[in-house]
Amino acid sequence: MIPSTVELAATLAPPLTAITPLRRAYMPHLAGVGRPGHVALTFDDGPDRRSTPHILRILREHDVRATFFLLGSMLAEDPQLGRELVDAGHEVAVHGWHHRLLLRRGPAATELDITRARMLIASVTGRAPRWYRPPYGVFTLAALRACRRQRLTPVLWTAWGRDWEARATPDSIVRTVTRRLSGGGTLLLHDTDVTSAPGSWRRTAAALPELLAWARERGLSVGPLAEHTAATR
């Protein structure tokens, strides 16, 4: 079997999959490139009872749905919040069990991490997750093979807000996103600060209405990955 471009990158230099310009140019599906008039809105690292409900409230007020990449360890602490995500019409996806760099894990540990998270998400929410995004955006060949065995589609992003940084502000998040995001792109934000600077989710929440308004002004619809890629695969 001839390896894919993504598999070659993960084998020869795993961090290459995390470099957004290269990923978008040579691995568009991995970068989350989808319908030109649509933006996929995604959140990582939750769910978190302290912060995720605030993000959900903003999305509800703007009648927008998103894809939430869940950590199994976080979902295990609050299964009800996972159910609330699905009940609100959002899509749930796999971010692994722990937020650890895959380069430090062997194939068996990688498989277990993804499997545990996928099984818990499906059990708690009643929805079989479709997508997988690794911590830090770095894939390994073991992770890609685990995705294939578990029928998960690997996906990263085309733009982010750097909202996890201590120096981030609502304005800096908006500027960072709007410099790079365009129709057909996938946006990465975070609905918790468990792996980010303390309080960073509040800055994300403050920036989110302006980002949604920016998309509307340009005639872009915003929604989950399931809608984003429906006509491109």
Side-chain angles (χ1 to χ4, degrees), residues 212-223:
L212 296 175
W214 176 89
R216 282 196 305 272
E217 290 168 1
R218 285 153 182 78
L220 300 172
S221 60
V222 179

Side-chain angles (χ1 to χ4, degrees), residues 136-205:
Y136 305 104
V138 177
F139 273 102
T140 61
L141 187 58
L144 292 169
R145 287 175 171 169
C147 285
R148 184 180 300 173
R149 284 190 290 269
Q150 298 183 45
R151 298 183 180 180
L152 292 169
T153 301
V155 65
L156 295 174
W157 59 85
T158 57
W160 57 14
R162 304 192 72 88
D163 55 341
W164 67 88
E165 296 180 341
R167 63 182 180 180
T169 67
D171 285 343
S172 76
I173 293 169
V174 171
R175 288 195 305 271
T176 301
V177 169
T178 55
R179 275 200 302 262
R180 295 186 178 275
L181 187 63
S182 59
T186 291
L187 172 59
L188 164 64
L189 296 171
H190 296 80
D191 60 306
T192 175
D193 61 5
V194 294
T195 64
S196 305
S200 58
W201 70 265
R202 296 182 184 277
R203 298 185 282 275
T204 302

